[in-house]
Amino acid sequence: MERLLDYLNNHIQNDWLINYNSHQLQELTQELYLELAQLLKYKSTVKIILSERETVKFLASFIAACAANCSVFLCNPDWGKQEWQQVFNLVQPDIIWGIGNWELGIENWELGIGNGEQNSTSSPLSPSSSSSPSSPSSPSSPHSPLPTPYSPLIMIPTGGSSGQIKFAIHTWETLKASVQGFVEYFQLKQVNSFCVLPLYHVSGLMQFMRSFLTGGKLAIIPFKTLDISQISNIQTSDFFISLVPTQLQRLLQNPELTNWLAQFKTVLLGGAPAWHELLEKARFNRIQLAPTYGMTETASQIATLKPDDFLNGKISSGQILPHAKIIIRNQQGQVLNYNQIGNITIQAKSLALGYYPQTWNNQDYFQVDDLGFLDEQGYLNIVGRNSDKIITGGENIYPIEIESAIRETQMVADICVIGIPDQHWGQALTALYVPNNSNTSIIEIQTQLYNKLSKFKIPKHWIPLPNLPRNTQGKINRQQLQQIATEYLQNLS
C-alpha cells in the first residue's frame, strides 16, 4: 500500500482538494507514515483510533494509516464518555490521533497528548477487557477470528444511535469496489464530490474515496457552517453532493440555497427514509435528486435512483449498482418473485468482512432488517424495517406509511410513530411529533388522516415534543422515544 503515497504525490498537481492546501496534506501524510513505519519495526500490527476534527489532519492520518497497513478505527469526536469507554474497551489502541480524549476522564487508560500538529501517542495503552459486538442479522452469524491484514483494515462505526457502537470491518478493496460500482453505474471517469457529511462516517468517507481514486476534485465544508457566500465560488454543475433528508429539508427552506442546490449534477439522498412531501418539493424545484439505499456494512449505496427517473416521477430506491446484488426472500428463506414483499438479502463486493473483532464466515450472504420488493424493471422499493413493524389488534403496520400521511397534513415539522405495549391491542400506535404551530390540535391532524388512512392506522396516543432525537445522519433514536413515550403515558395514568 506504499504506492498510496506516490498516488497522493501525483494527485497534488491537480489541485484536487478545494479550499485546502494539497501540499500541506502531502507533507503531513508523509510525516505520519514515517512515524508509523518506525513503530512497525517493533510491532507486527498497529491499531489507530482516528478522531480528528480538522479535515487535512483527518485525511493525512487516514491515508498514512492505510499506506502503512495499519488497522484504523474511525471515530466521532463528539462521542461522550460512555461511548468512548465502549470504544477503548473494544479496540485497546496503540495510537490515538485526534481530540484530547483525556478530558473525558476515562479511567485505567494512559491517554497521551501529541505536539499539536500530530495529536498522537505512540505508546501502547493499558489493556482492558474487550467487549464482543452483536452478531449480524444473517445466516453468517458464526464468527471467525480476525485475520492478519494483507491490506489495511478500515473500521467504520455503525449503530451509535442504539447506544451500542460497532465497527464494520472494511478494507481498501471493499471501499474501492464501492467506488468502481458507483463510477460504472453513473458512467463516469472522474467523480467530483462536495462533502458536507462527517468524514468518519461512511457517507463522508466514500465521497473522499470516489474523488481520490478517480482523480476528481473534493470540496469539504461542514454542513453547519454552510453559507452561500462561502460556496458561491465553486462551480457545482459537475459535482455530486450527498445529503440526509433533514439537510435537504433545511436547504429547501432557503430560496438562495435551493437555487444553489439545483445547480448540482446529482444530489445523492440517503441515511434515512425521505418523506413524500420532501421529495415532491425537491422535484418541484428541479433538484437532480438521486435517492439511495445502502449502509455502513455495504460501504455506502448499493441501489440508486437516477435523477432523470426521479424528475419523471419515479418513486423508489432505484436500480442495483453493478458491484452488488439484492435478493428478496420470505421468512423461510425462499426467493420471492417481482413485486412480492420480503426480507432483503445482499451480496456485494463492497460488503464488510464482519464487526470488529470478528469476521463473518459467510460474507456472500447478508440479511438486513429492511423489508422491500423488486419490480419488473429491477427497481428496489423499501417498505420499512422489520424491527419497526407494529402489531396492533392483529394487524401489521409499518410506521413509514403513517408518518408520510401525517407529514402530508403539513401540521408537523417532524414525526415518528412507534408501538407502545397495550394489554388490549398488543401494541398501541403512538405518534411523537413536533407541531408546526403550538395551537394545532390533535383533532385537526386526525381529521385530515381519516381520508388517508384506515381507522386502525391512526395513532391512539399523540405526544408533542420540542424536537425528536436524531443522529448526524438524520436517523431517529427509537429506543429513546420508546422511553419518552412510556414515561409520558405513565404520568397521564
Side-chain angles (χ1 to χ4, degrees):
M1 293 296 290
E2 287 187 30
R3 67 179 184 271
L4 270 181
L5 300 182
D6 295 330
Y7 184 79
L8 176 62
N9 295 341
N10 295 332
H11 214 20
I12 289 177
Q13 312 306 320
N14 302 329
D15 195 25
W16 67 288
L17 194 56
I18 299 174
N19 291 338
Y20 292 96
N21 189 323
S22 297
H23 289 279
Q24 181 188 7
L25 171 63
Q26 185 271 338
E27 292 171 0
L28 183 55
T29 303
Q30 184 69 32
E31 184 181 340
L32 294 173
Y33 173 78
L34 292 175
E35 176 184 324
L36 293 175
Q38 284 296 113
L39 184 59
L40 285 166
K41 292 180 179 179
Y42 308 100
K43 293 179 64 68
S44 57
T45 59
V46 171
K47 293 181 289 184
I48 302 170
I49 278 183
L50 176 52
S51 180
E52 180 58 70
R53 294 183 188 277
E54 295 184 34
T55 297
V56 171
K57 289 182 179 179
F58 179 95
L59 295 179
S61 303
F62 178 73
I63 297 170
C66 291
N69 277 351
C70 295
S71 297
V72 57
F73 295 77
L74 308 185
C75 296
N76 180 357
D78 294 316
W79 280 337
K81 180 177 178 179
Q82 181 179 358
E83 291 159 317
W84 276 117
Q85 187 69 66
Q86 285 183 44
V87 171
F88 288 129
N89 286 343
L90 178 63
V91 176
Q92 301 185 39
D94 301 298
I95 294 177
I96 300 168
W97 279 335
I99 65 167
N101 305 293
W102 60 91
E103 295 174 358
L104 298 174
I106 296 176
E107 298 177 357
N108 301 323
W109 291 95
E110 298 175 4
L111 298 176
I113 176 171
N115 58 16
E117 293 183 0
Q118 298 176 14
N119 271 355
S120 67
T121 171
S122 56
S123 58
L125 301 180
S126 304
S128 179
S129 59
S130 176
S131 59
S132 300
S134 58
S135 302
S137 175
S138 81
S140 59
S141 55
H143 295 316
S144 300
L146 191 65
T148 301
Y150 60 89
S151 77
L153 294 181
I154 301 163
M155 319 298 178
I156 306 178
T158 183
S161 64
S162 64
Q164 182 64 45
I165 296 171
K166 297 184 290 186
F167 288 96
I169 307 170
H170 279 282
T171 67
W172 194 263
E173 283 70 27
T174 61
L175 302 188
K176 185 177 179 180
S178 176
V179 173
Q180 290 173 332
F182 183 94
V183 169
E184 185 177 341
Y185 186 71
F186 284 102
Q187 298 181 329
L188 303 166
K189 290 185 178 179
Q190 291 184 327
V191 182
N192 299 322
S193 299
F194 194 107
C195 181
V196 297
L197 292 166
L199 290 170
Y200 67 81
H201 191 271
V202 69
S203 57
L205 181 69
M206 291 312 301
Q207 291 180 76
F208 156 73
M209 291 293 294
R210 291 172 199 143
S211 295
F212 185 70
L213 291 178
T214 65
K217 294 187 180 296
L218 176 65
I220 302 176
I221 299 177
F223 186 79
K224 62 183 179 182
T225 64
L226 202 60
D227 183 87
I228 196 67
S229 62
Q230 186 182 12
I231 58 183
S232 58
N233 64 328
I234 301 174
Q235 297 296 322
T236 57
S237 57
D238 290 328
F239 276 74
F240 285 75
I241 185 172
S242 295
L243 301 172
V244 298
T246 52
Q247 291 174 329
L248 176 61
Q249 180 186 39
R250 194 181 308 180
L251 292 178
L252 294 181
Q253 291 170 347
N254 183 317
E256 202 171 11
L257 289 173
T258 298
N259 292 333
W260 171 75
L261 193 62
Q263 297 169 19
F264 275 88
K265 177 183 180 70
T266 303
V267 178
L268 301 166
L269 185 69
W275 48 99
H276 178 73
E277 179 191 3
L278 179 64
L279 297 176
E280 285 300 314
K281 190 171 184 179
R283 192 175 284 118
F284 175 81
N285 286 284
R286 306 302 295 175
I287 306 297
Q288 299 288 321
L289 202 69
T292 71
Y293 175 78
M295 59 206 69
T296 305
E297 290 84 352
T298 59
S300 192
Q301 62 195 266
I302 53 171
T304 301
L305 185 69
K306 291 183 177 178
D308 286 346
D309 281 338
F310 170 76
L311 292 175
N312 287 330
K314 186 78 175 177
I315 299 176
S316 76
S317 294
Q319 294 176 303
I320 314 305
L321 271 63
H323 69 288
K325 182 179 181 181
I326 286 181
I327 302 170
I328 309 298
R329 302 177 185 270
N330 61 17
Q331 291 184 343
Q332 289 73 42
Q334 298 170 319
V335 178
L336 299 179
N337 294 323
Y338 293 125
N339 299 315
Q340 291 185 304
I341 297 173
N343 298 301
I344 293 175
T345 55
I346 298 169
Q347 294 174 329
K349 295 178 181 177
S350 62
L351 189 62
L353 306 185
Y355 295 125
Y356 185 83
Q358 304 290 344
T359 59
W360 303 325
N361 283 343
N362 182 2
Q363 292 160 15
D364 296 326
Y365 180 86
F366 185 67
Q367 181 174 312
V368 296
D369 191 37
D370 298 315
L371 298 171
F373 65 91
L374 293 167
D375 63 23
E376 291 87 348
Q377 289 77 43
Y379 288 80
L380 177 65
N381 296 263
I382 303 299
V383 175
R385 295 181 69 85
N386 197 40
S387 59
D388 293 340
K389 178 174 67 177
I390 301 167
I391 303 176
T392 179
E395 299 283 356
N396 292 341
I397 297 174
Y398 296 97
I400 190 170
E401 176 191 6
I402 303 168
E403 292 165 357
S404 296
I406 295 173
R407 285 185 187 277
E408 287 177 5
T409 67
Q410 299 186 14
M411 293 183 181
V412 302
D414 206 356
I415 177 70
C416 180
V417 173
I418 61 175
I420 295 296
D422 184 277
Q423 60 180 343
H424 299 294
W425 300 100
Q427 288 179 295
L429 283 181
T430 303
L432 297 100
Y433 67 103
V434 179
N436 270 331
N437 189 319
S438 58
N439 296 323
T440 300
S441 70
I442 296 172
I443 294 177
E444 288 179 281
I445 303 176
Q446 290 175 322
T447 300
Q448 289 205 27
L449 294 179
Y450 287 131
N451 295 327
K452 299 175 182 290
L453 297 171
S454 301
K455 187 176 181 181
F456 68 86
K457 293 183 179 180
I458 297 177
K460 178 181 179 181
H461 304 298
W462 294 78
I463 303 175
L465 295 172
N467 57 70
L468 300 187
R470 292 180 179 270
N471 66 12
T472 53
Q473 277 63 57
K475 294 182 181 178
I476 284 182
N477 188 332
R478 290 181 179 268
Q479 283 189 342
Q480 188 174 341
L481 287 182
Q482 286 279 352
Q483 183 177 350
I484 291 172
T486 300
E487 292 175 358
Y488 181 92
L489 296 175
Q490 286 176 347
N491 290 336
L492 289 180
S493 59

